Each structure stands twice: as structure tokens, then as C-alpha cells.
Amino acid sequence: MPVSVVSAVSADSADRAGSADRSGCAPLPVLGRDVRVPLVTGGEADYAALDYAASAPALQRVWDDVAAYAPYYGSVHRGAGYLSQLSTDLFENSRRTIADFLGCRPDGDAGDQVVFTRSTTDSLNLLAAALPQDTQVFVFETEHHASLLPWERRADTVVTYLDAPRTPRQAVDILAAALAGREPSAGPALVCVTGASNVTGELWPVRELAAVAHAHGARIVLDAAQLAPHHPIDIGALDVDWVAFSGHKLYAPFGAGVLAGRADWLQGAEPYLAGGGASRTVARRTDGGVDVDWHTTAARHEAGSPNVIGAYSIAAACQALTEAGFDELVAREQRLIARVREGLATVPEVRVLSLFGDDAPRVGVLSFVVEGWNSSHFAAALSAEYGIGVRDGLFCAHPLVRTLLGSESDEPGECGAPEAAPGEKSLNAIRVSFGAGTPDEHIERFVRAVRELVADGARWNYRTEGGRCVPDPAA
């Protein structure tokens, strides 16, 4: 693509980011930072987006880079025209940028591939479809559903669900015991583990779990959906076999994700989707059928016209985070985490959810419950009365949240429902999450709002509508 166009826009974005940091705002400006929202009590407020764990707002720089490319958009891998060639180069350069961001191992028999997908969920479903026959999968019950659910869809895959650990050391011991109990002649094995919990934000001992997996002949895939936006990832240093993450949590829009890692299982599997781009040649047979020679590169699992803008937006976000410096970003985020934890600790009615304890290292994701409040009611009041957007529910990690809330594992519950079903206690929590685009003021407003709501109650009446808790317009 024309270097002058992208370089100029990227430089301008970087200048704005630097200016924002010097003025005391978030180090990486995001879209929506100036959006005003109405309050039910009257007036407006700057919207405080504190639901980064669901979808982080797009970086302004990513948006600017994509806008600079948009006039040059063309078909990828399919056209001889100038714009098609530019788009193809951009797409493949994005793949290389992401490989560098992840510390992918060099090409070759032991090298890594970067496959573009739609999301973390799509990436892990792709890997599940590529498992060799009779693979045994080990997964902790604490995983997000994207990591928990894909593996049982094949009849020849055996899934072992591991109990929730209460310390990082216990997680390693539980996995070691499970792997040691396998039959010596058993087939391939895969361990799936998160890097950072989408419920508690706690960091998992990925390197130690990888060492245990490999010591027992198993492979390991890292769900980095919540880790990648907050911490640098090095596949080689962590010694994991695959990494999966989503662009929409990494400050990049447009519905794209990544599965990066060892090529052999991916090359040996049937293409995830059958179609153009995945095949090198297709020829009719004399019996009326067709013979297909599939690609062995990442293209094998990228059938159809690729999401070039999605891929480029992820690469642009990776570049922006790298240039901003993870050391500085992590240090600032830890300060914000400390401020939230200190503020919540002053409210006795608030209980922060944790597997590993208060001192466990974590990213900017915290979940909590408030005594005397339904979590959906509390979240609705934060939004309607303070302009603060958080998440409430079970966060697509139902077994984990139920464990943390002390409910039985088979107790039913509806994600996000403000009221429980008849005969069932309410099962939901509140999650606040933030990152490189979060201004200090949003954190301070959140802490102040929690204190005021607990001390004084909501200033408005709320009702259930469409399964959600919403302000009552008749109030």
C-alpha cells in the first residue's frame, strides 16, 4: 500500500497519543472518548466505557490507519490490479506483524502459522476441528465458554474437565495429576488454558502449565483473549503450542481473530471451510467427482474472501501497543487496578470475586457482588445515573462464576437476567474492566458511584424489560 499515506496517518496518530499522555489522559486514545450520554436524573455525562473485557473500544490510531487504507481496498490473492496487489501485500504484512507481536517461531517443520479467524471462539473451534483422531483434551472448568465448549463436538474426542484450582500451584498440580493418570498408550493430548481470567482478571501460570503438559507428551493452547490487550505474549518464551485471541478485545474492530502456532496438526486436518482460497487446484475426475489439492499454508483454513480490514486493524493495534511500550502500559494499568481495589475495599457490602486471593497478579478485569443488590440492578443504575458502562451476568463463564458465588455446579441460571427463575437464587455479578484507553477520571467516577449507590441507594426506579433491568420511564 502507498507508504506515504499510512506513514503520515500513523505518525499523526502517534503524535496525538503522545499529546494525550502528556495531558494526563489515557496513553492510547480510543474512539468514543468524547461521547456524551443522557442521565435519567437530568443532564449528560462523558460515557465511561468500563467493559473492555467484552469489547474494547477501537484505538483512534487503528481507526485512522484503516481509514487511510480504505480508498485502496481491493480483492486479496485474487486480482492482478494495482489495488488488489496492494491489499494482498497489506494482508500478508499484517500476518507478519502479528507473528512478530506474538514472538512466533520461524518457519519450517517446527515453525508457527498465523491463521486469521473471526474471533477467539472461532480460533478454538478451528483447532478443535483440526485435532488428530482420539485426542484427549484437558480443560479447567474455570474457562470462558469459548475454551470450554468446542472440544466435545467430535465423537472421537474425550474431554476431561478439571476442578477449579484455588492457587496457581494447585492448578499446576491438578493438571499434572490428570495427565499422569492417562494410559501410556493413549493418543494425542491437548491442554487448553486461559492466560487471564475474563471474570477475575487473575493471571494463570501459563509457563508452568506448559512445562507440565509437555513433560507428559501433551500440547497446550493458550486462550489469550484477555491477556493480549494487557501483557506482551511470546509463544516461544511461554512454550505454548498455540495462541488464540480476538481483535475486538485488542482495540481493533471488524470481527477478526487469530490462531497462531504449530502448523502440523493444522496442515494434517481437513480445511475448516471448503472453498476458494483454501484449494490450490481442483480437477474433475473421470467418475464425475473432483480431486482437490489443498493448501498447506495458513490459507488452508482461510477459505473465502478474507477480512483484510479486520486483519489490518489487528496488526495496527499490535503495532500501536508495541510502540507505546508494554512496560509503561502495564505499570499504569496496575495503578488503576490498585485504585479500584482500594476504593471497593472501603465499601463493606462489596465482595470482589477471586480464585487465587487478593494478592494474585491480574489484568484490568474485576468482578464483584454487592450485598443487598441484584447485580443487574446495580449495573443499570451505574449506567443510567452515572454514565458508566459495565457488564453484569455470568460473563460466558457460568461454571466459574457459580463456583465463586458458592452455588451448586448444576444450578440453572440465565446469563444477565436481573431476576432469578422461580425457586432459584439470583446468580449474577458485576464486572468492571479497563485498559490503555481508560482515563483516570472514569476510574474515579466508578469508585465514587459505587460508594454513593451503596450508601444512598438508586435515585431512580427500575423494572425488568426484555430480560434486562432498565430505568422505569414512569418514575
Side-chain angles (χ1 to χ4, degrees):
M1 95 165 275
V3 176
S4 59
V5 175
V6 176
S7 297
V9 172
S10 297
D12 181 57
S13 300
D15 288 344
R16 283 199 302 274
S19 298
D21 191 28
R22 288 189 295 272
S23 66
C25 298
L28 288 175
V30 294
L31 294 180
R33 60 190 182 275
D34 299 323
V35 169
R36 302 281 290 176
V37 294
L39 305 180
V40 292
T41 52
E44 294 181 336
D46 288 335
Y47 183 66
L50 296 180
D51 192 17
Y52 277 43
S55 281
L59 292 180
Q60 182 68 55
R61 173 171 170 178
V62 170
W63 194 260
D64 291 345
D65 285 353
V66 168
Y69 159 66
Y72 302 92
Y73 174 83
S75 61
V76 174
H77 295 153
R78 289 162 174 77
Y82 182 68
L83 298 190
S84 293
Q85 295 299 308
L86 288 175
S87 294
T88 299
D89 287 346
L90 185 78
F91 185 68
E92 294 304 333
N93 283 334
S94 296
R95 198 189 305 274
R96 285 186 282 273
T97 297
I98 294 166
D100 290 341
F101 180 78
L102 296 173
C104 286
R105 293 155 290 215
D107 293 337
D109 292 340
D112 294 322
Q113 287 185 343
V114 172
V115 181
F116 286 116
T117 65
R118 293 178 297 173
S119 60
T120 307
T121 302
D122 195 34
S123 295
L124 293 172
N125 274 272
L126 164 56
L127 183 60
L131 295 180
Q133 188 173 3
D134 298 324
T135 296
Q136 186 173 3
V137 178
F138 296 83
V139 56
F140 286 94
E141 67 173 352
T142 48
E143 293 291 313
H144 186 282
H145 294 172
S147 304
L148 195 71
L149 301 181
W151 316 109
E152 284 193 343
R153 303 187 72 186
R154 281 176 44 176
D156 64 336
T157 301
V158 177
V159 184
T160 299
Y161 296 104
L162 306 176
D163 292 339
R166 286 300 184 167
T167 66
R169 180 69 253 173
Q170 191 178 62
V172 175
D173 292 343
I174 289 172
L175 178 62
L179 290 173
R182 297 180 70 226
E183 292 292 332
S185 60
L190 177 70
V191 176
C192 180
V193 67
T194 188
S197 170
N198 77 303
V199 176
T200 67
E202 293 166 315
L203 297 175
W204 278 62
V206 176
R207 195 191 317 266
E208 292 83 356
L209 292 168
V212 167
H214 292 151
H216 289 85
R219 298 188 182 188
I220 185 168
V221 56
L222 171 64
D223 174 354
Q226 299 298 338
L227 185 64
H230 303 276
H231 279 271
I233 294 174
D234 189 313
I235 288 181
L238 292 172
D239 198 22
V240 295
D241 298 282
W242 293 277
V243 168
F245 70 92
S246 298
H248 73 96
K249 299 184 191 296
L250 194 76
Y251 309 101
F254 305 116
V258 167
L259 176 67
R262 295 179 60 159
D264 54 350
W265 283 8
L266 299 176
Q267 291 173 348
E270 288 295 308
Y272 188 46
L273 298 173
S279 57
R280 286 190 291 203
T281 61
V282 179
R284 288 291 300 275
R285 296 196 305 263
T286 56
D287 64 2
V290 294
D291 287 323
V292 184
D293 180 21
W294 301 105
H295 278 294
T296 58
T297 63
R300 183 182 188 87
H301 299 291
E302 295 177 345
S305 296
N307 181 359
V308 58
I309 291 182
Y312 180 46
S313 69
I314 293 178
C318 291
Q319 191 68 28
L321 289 167
T322 300
E323 292 177 1
F326 264 113
D327 287 346
E328 294 184 12
L329 294 177
V330 169
R332 178 179 184 271
E333 183 174 297
Q334 291 305 308
R335 178 172 61 78
L336 297 182
I337 293 171
R339 180 68 189 100
V340 171
R341 289 182 61 80
E342 291 166 0
L344 295 180
T346 64
V347 185
E349 294 84 355
V350 169
R351 177 167 71 92
V352 175
L353 306 183
S354 175
L355 268 178
F356 299 153
D358 290 343
D359 296 331
R362 67 186 68 222
V363 299
V365 179
L366 295 95
S367 295
F368 62 97
V369 291
V370 183
E371 183 181 348
W373 283 80
N374 177 276
S375 293
S376 292
H377 184 193
F378 200 89
L382 285 174
S383 174
E385 300 178 27
Y386 295 90
I388 298 171
V390 296
R391 172 86 182 268
D392 65 278
L394 299 177
F395 318 127
C396 294
H398 295 189
L400 171 57
V401 178
R402 286 171 173 151
T403 294
L404 296 173
L405 293 178
S407 66
E408 295 298 326
S409 60
D410 60 348
E411 186 173 5
E414 181 182 350
C415 185
E419 293 183 354
E424 174 198 340
K425 71 178 182 179
S426 179
L427 292 173
N428 58 351
I430 306 151
R431 185 180 69 191
V432 56
S433 52
F434 42 88
T438 304
D440 287 17
E441 187 276 329
H442 290 183
I443 297 299
E444 294 301 329
R445 195 194 323 167
F446 167 75
V447 170
R448 184 176 67 252
V450 170
R451 288 173 176 162
E452 290 181 1
L453 283 173
V454 172
D456 304 328
R459 292 173 287 173
W460 204 261
N461 292 328
Y462 296 81
R463 68 179 185 181
T464 300
E465 183 178 291
R468 297 295 303 169
C469 189
V470 298
D472 188 343

